[in-house]
Structure formats: structure tokens, C-alpha cells
Amino acid sequence: MNEAHSVRQIWRSLGLPGIVDVHTHFMPKQVMDKVWRYFDDAGPLVGRQWPIAYRSDEEHRLETLRAFGVRAFTSLVYPHKPQMATWLNQWAMAFAEMTPDCLHTATLYPEPGVEVYVRQAVDAGARLFKAHIQVGCYDPADPLLDTAWGVIEDAAVPVVIHCGSGPVPGKHPGPEPVTALLKRHPRLCLVVAHMGMPEYTDFLDLADRYDGVRLDTTMAFTPFVEETMPFPKSEYRRLRDHADHILFGSDFPNIPYGFIDAMRVLTRLPGIDDVWLRKVFYDNAARLFGLPGS
Ligand SMILES: [Zn+2]
């Protein structure tokens, strides 16, 4: 049986019109090539052997997601240095224009002028921001970002934020800087990438305290991650409690296993049911991004 067939079987059996993947990467070719080289070399932020399962040209990657029945996905771009975000944002806007099933995304970096280009992205219709604290190596509560966060908060645009210390801690890892950010901007809709691995508990606590905080399942619960950063058994109950705040994400194409595996591990979590799966695979994201209901 081919993979697309297996993927479709999962969402069809749940009565869904497909799935939404809030965490996929499309980026300018030269940037993607660089990211892939970094994974090939197991660079310091990767830390282990990491063969990319879906390394192919952009057109083929789009076809793959569509064959899986991914109705909406994202082009998460992120800068690792100043004066890069504007260019990435222009690229992501053009990509979304050409790719109707890709949500228009944008990013930001602590630098002079960030408020201006964040406002431009919001005005141009950006539906999701990405902040990569590890790769960008900055403090999300950096005063340089404060007014930009205010713009995003007021516009109620969600932000996928990679802020846990996994796979290896950066300079500003973990829940403390994000807690400081939420104190300043309590209405921010932050989608904590990778369930906040390995600080799962702390980020679930933040989701308890702040209505806007959500978590994406990206890579979590897979054998690849469980090997080094297992999700605590005692917290499974809280996954059920947060059924409305958890979104499916895959990290396609940069994963060292199949897309189907990322879905299957969710269907096998102890104590979850079809209602939970429908919310996580589709309904929560559909509500967040105003997509057709299931
Ligand atoms: Zn990612």
C-alpha cells in the first residue's frame, strides 16, 4: 500500500475532509539547500543523524502533500541573522499567491525596523508568523521586538514559535523567555512548536494559563523523539484536556521518517478518541485560520 493511501485512510475513517498541517517548510531554494546541508552534516542544532525523508524539488513536494490530502499547509520561513526577514516575507507572500493551499506566512527578527515589516506583512494578509528562537538565537522578550509583538497581538495572527530546548538548547531556550513575552502580550496566539519538547509540562502549564497558547504535535510522540525526549506518561491526561489547543504539524519535508508515522503515533496515544483526532488533524486549525468546516 502506498503512503498516500494510508494517510487518506486515517482522515477518511474519521469523516474529515482532509488534514491541516500547521508546520511545513517551503522556502527559497538556496535557503532550503542550506538547511538540508546542515541536516546532512548533523550540525550543532541537529545533533544526530537526520536523513531528510522528502528531499525533492518543490513541485514534487507540493504534489506529495496534496496526494496526502493536506488541505492547508504553511511555508514556515525564519531568519538566522538580521536583514533577512523582509526578503523571506516577500518570498512567502509570493509563494502563497502561487500556491492557494499554502497559508501566507511571515517571520520576524529583533532588529531596527521590525515593527514596520511586521505591519506590512499583516496588512498584506499574513495568516501566520514563524519565530525560531533557537536558529535565530534571540530572546523573544527582546525589547526590540516589543512593538512588533504588539502589532501581531492586535491583529490576532497566530505565531508558530520554536521555543523549547529540543532537539538541543539554544541561547534562550525553554519556557521562561516565552512566559516573559506572554506577560507583556497576554493575548498573543502562540502555537508552541513540537509540543514544547522537552519542556512539555511547562508549555502545557502556559496553555492552562493563557487562552491564546496552543501546541503543535510536530515530531512529538514519534520513536525518533521518544528515544531522547520522551513525553511524560503522567501528562497524557492533559493532552485530552487540551483537545481544543493542539494542532497537527509534521515538519515536512525535513523529517527522518514517514509522514504517515507522524499521524499514526497520534492515533495510538493512550486515552484519546476520534473527537480528539478530528480536532487535532483538522477542526482546530480550520477554526484558527477560517478554513471550511469539517
Ligand atoms: Zn520546523
Side-chain angles (χ1 to χ4, degrees):
M1 204 167 19
N2 73 29
E3 186 177 23
H5 182 85
S6 309
V7 167
R8 284 170 174 269
Q9 222 166 30
I10 291 183
W11 56 256
R12 277 209 186 107
S13 71
L14 291 165
L16 290 172
I19 51 180
V20 178
D21 188 339
V22 75
H23 195 135
T24 62
H25 295 286
F26 289 88
M27 45 186 78
K29 186 179 181 311
Q30 63 269 45
V31 181
M32 189 64 109
D33 286 344
K34 216 172 152 184
V35 169
W36 284 345
R37 276 201 299 277
Y38 194 83
F39 278 101
D40 289 344
D41 299 342
L45 287 178
V46 172
R48 61 197 286 198
Q49 286 300 308
W50 197 305
I52 308 277
Y54 298 95
R55 187 190 298 233
S56 63
D57 63 64
E58 191 174 277
E59 202 44 50
H60 186 253
R61 278 180 272 129
L62 288 169
E63 279 166 20
T64 303
L65 286 181
R66 287 168 186 154
F68 290 159
V70 179
R71 300 294 170 227
F73 52 90
T74 59
S75 59
L76 299 183
V77 289
Y78 48 86
H80 63 279
K81 58 181 185 192
Q83 296 186 318
M84 196 179 169
T86 310
W87 172 65
L88 289 172
N89 289 353
Q90 281 162 356
W91 183 91
M93 182 167 75
F95 185 74
E97 267 166 26
M98 293 183 312
T99 318
D101 37 358
C102 181
L103 295 170
H104 174 181
T105 63
T107 191
L108 72 171
Y109 190 85
E111 58 190 329
V114 55
E115 183 199 342
V116 175
Y117 68 70
V118 162
R119 198 179 289 280
Q120 278 167 354
V122 167
D123 289 346
R127 294 164 84 184
L128 179 70
F129 277 82
K130 162 77 169 183
H132 206 312
I133 304 308
Q134 248 182 23
V135 169
C137 205
Y138 60 83
D139 181 348
D142 189 317
L144 269 172
L145 285 170
D146 193 55
T147 51
W149 287 127
V151 170
I152 294 171
E153 182 182 32
D154 288 343
V157 179
V159 183
V160 169
I161 182 164
H162 185 136
C163 49
S165 320
V168 277
K171 217 167 142 190
H172 303 277
E176 288 79 20
V178 180
T179 307
L181 171 61
L182 283 165
K183 273 202 184 113
R184 292 272 308 151
H185 299 284
R187 291 170 297 124
L188 268 178
C189 173
L190 296 183
V191 181
V192 175
H194 309 287
M195 301 293 299
M197 73 172 65
E199 290 101 351
Y200 304 102
T201 299
D202 299 296
F203 285 107
L204 282 166
D205 290 348
L206 277 182
D208 284 339
R209 279 166 52 200
Y210 293 95
D211 280 346
V213 171
R214 288 165 176 75
L215 306 113
D216 80 32
T217 62
T218 308
M219 299 194 76
F221 314 112
T222 60
F224 185 77
V225 162
E226 286 286 300
E227 206 178 280
T228 51
M229 291 174 284
F231 187 85
K233 302 272 171 288
S234 56
E235 300 292 49
Y236 282 129
R237 181 189 50 78
R238 299 180 73 193
L239 294 179
R240 297 197 292 277
D241 297 344
H242 281 289
D244 293 325
H245 303 129
I246 297 173
L247 308 168
F248 173 70
S250 69
D251 237 341
F252 178 94
N254 303 335
I255 38 177
Y257 47 76
F259 193 94
I260 182 72
D261 302 314
M263 293 182 74
R264 267 196 194 125
V265 290
L266 299 182
T267 66
R268 290 170 185 166
L269 287 172
I272 60 98
D273 56 12
D274 286 0
V275 176
W276 190 93
L277 290 170
R278 277 195 281 272
K279 288 178 173 181
V280 170
F281 281 134
Y282 192 88
D283 294 341
N284 290 341
R287 207 172 56 242
L288 194 58
F289 299 112
L291 307 170
S294 58

